[in-house]
């Protein structure tokens, strides 16, 4: 993966069995690094592996990842074994390929544009069936190539736009945006929505 600065997490069962028989790529926006030395190529993989390490100290940012897992699994109170099994069934990648200096710092338009080639390289390498995009800001800054997909009805009746990209062999990759799984995110609500897709 020549264009990628932050290698994706690839669960050990992602390719063979995936999640519910699908290859799911969760797409976050960016990494936050206090020090430039923290921005190593394996930072994404370290972050995910830390989620199911029972010896690791709990930090607030981990709640975001746990809520996302709960949304796909449809249940809460996940054990470390549950988390390990879940994250080994999917892949995760942060789109922006430069680190942000703080949790509230948004990527620039240039940051998004400069990350397009790496994103397409990830799609070609991982060949996901579905990409679940964390947040409307990221979804609205994805590359314009591809075609609009079917609108999907959310549990509250609202319609959610989707997108489609096509790999070099014409395999279709469905792009589905959800609310960013942070503090106001409802795993139960998004489970209803995602279960109809997956």
């Amino acid at each position: 993966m020549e264009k990628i600065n932050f290698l994706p997490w690839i669960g050990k069962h992602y390719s063979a069995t995936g999640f519910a028989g699908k290859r799911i790529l969760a797409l976050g926006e960016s990494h936050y690094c206090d020090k430039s030395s923290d921005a190593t190529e394996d930072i994404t993989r370290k972050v995910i592996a830390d989620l199911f390490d029972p010896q690791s100290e709990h930090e607030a940012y981990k709640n975001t990842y746990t809520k996302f897992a709960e949304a796909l699994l449809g249940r809460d109170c996940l054990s470390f074994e549950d988390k390990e099994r879940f994250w080994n069934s999917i892949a995760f990648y942060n789109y922006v390929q430069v680190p942000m200096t703080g949790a509230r710092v948004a990527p620039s338009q240039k940051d998004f544009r400069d990350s397009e080639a790496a994103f397409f390289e990830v799609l070609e390498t991982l060949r996901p069936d579905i990409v679940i995009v964390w947040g409307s800001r990221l979804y609205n800054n994805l590359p314009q190539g591809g075609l609009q997909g079917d609108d999907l009805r959310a549990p509250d009746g609202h319609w959610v736009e989707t997108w489609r990209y096509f790999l070099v062999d014409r395999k279709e990759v469905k792009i589905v945006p959800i609310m960013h799984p942070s503090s106001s995110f409802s795993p139960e609500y998004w489970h209803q929505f995602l279960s109809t897709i997956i």
Side-chain angles (χ1 to χ4, degrees), residues 6-26:
F6 304 132
L7 295 169
W9 163 269
I10 307 169
K12 61 185 176 183
H13 304 302
Y14 168 80
S15 294
T17 56
F19 181 87
K22 302 282 189 184
R23 290 184 178 184
I24 306 294
L25 172 62

Side-chain angles (χ1 to χ4, degrees), residues 23-152:
R23 290 184 178 184
I24 306 294
L25 172 62
L27 188 66
E29 186 178 84
S30 58
H31 280 295
Y32 308 120
C33 298
D34 293 329
K35 299 176 293 184
S36 59
S37 59
D38 293 336
T40 59
E41 69 174 6
D42 61 348
I43 185 174
T44 305
R45 295 174 174 181
K46 287 179 178 178
V47 166
I48 301 299
D50 198 48
L51 298 174
F52 51 81
D53 178 358
Q55 305 304 316
S56 175
E57 178 184 353
H58 179 76
E59 298 178 63
Y61 79 87
K62 293 182 180 180
N63 294 332
T64 295
Y65 295 87
T66 299
K67 287 182 179 182
F68 177 71
E70 291 171 350
L72 262 69
L73 293 170
R75 56 193 173 87
D76 56 11
C77 301
L78 303 181
S79 67
F80 283 106
E81 291 77 14
D82 293 333
K83 293 175 185 178
E84 182 172 12
R85 193 161 37 249
F86 171 77
W87 289 104
N88 273 312
S89 70
I90 72 166
F92 180 86
Y93 176 67
N94 265 331
Y95 183 86
V96 174
Q97 291 299 288
V98 293
M100 300 295 102
T101 56
R104 301 298 177 192
V105 178
S108 68
Q109 291 299 308
K110 182 177 187 301
D111 293 333
F112 284 115
R113 285 195 310 272
D114 290 350
S115 301
E116 291 182 4
F119 174 61
F120 284 124
E121 189 173 358
V122 166
L123 294 185
E124 290 289 347
T125 302
L126 299 188
R127 300 178 57 79
D129 299 307
I130 303 169
V131 178
I132 301 174
V133 182
W134 288 13
S136 57
R137 180 172 64 196
L138 174 56
Y139 179 77
N140 292 332
N141 279 286
L142 291 178
Q144 291 300 302
L147 297 170
Q148 188 163 343
D150 297 330
D151 289 350
L152 303 174

